[in-house]
Amino acid sequence: MEQIVTIIAVGAYAERQYQKQDGSSEYFKSRGVTMKHGGDVIYGEMTGELASKNRDTQYYQNQPYVVKGFWKHRPWQDKNGEERHENMFYITDLQTL
């Protein structure tokens, strides 16, 4: 997906350590971005090396950007056993227009 958006807010770069299934440790790297496209507000995340590379990049509110990325769906069960759904937008590129 590719859209023209304006930035509402950009979160801080974060690294969270986790343990892989093979027992080794790795870091999950991310930086969240809240964007507006028309009347829609979208939250997306840069992850991995893209987040690392853009850890100090300044993004400006109300300036147009071209965002590229993809949606991922995840079903899960809440504590009452009800099925819930989550849609997450993963940013693969974010450039000024």
Side-chain angles (χ1 to χ4, degrees), residues 51-64:
S52 244
K53 184 176 94 174
N54 289 292
R55 71 186 329 151
D56 297 320
T57 302
Q58 288 223 296
Y59 296 99
Y60 300 98
Q61 291 182 341
N62 301 319
Q63 181 174 332

Side-chain angles (χ1 to χ4, degrees), residues 1-3 35 44-45 50 66-72 88-94:
M1 180 182 113
E2 180 177 320
Q3 295 290 333
M35 303 162 279
E45 278 189 346
L50 181 65
V66 175
V67 65
K68 295 179 185 178
F70 62 94
W71 290 97
K72 187 173 181 180
M88 180 64 191
F89 184 67
Y90 289 93
I91 297 169
T92 57
D93 194 25
L94 183 60

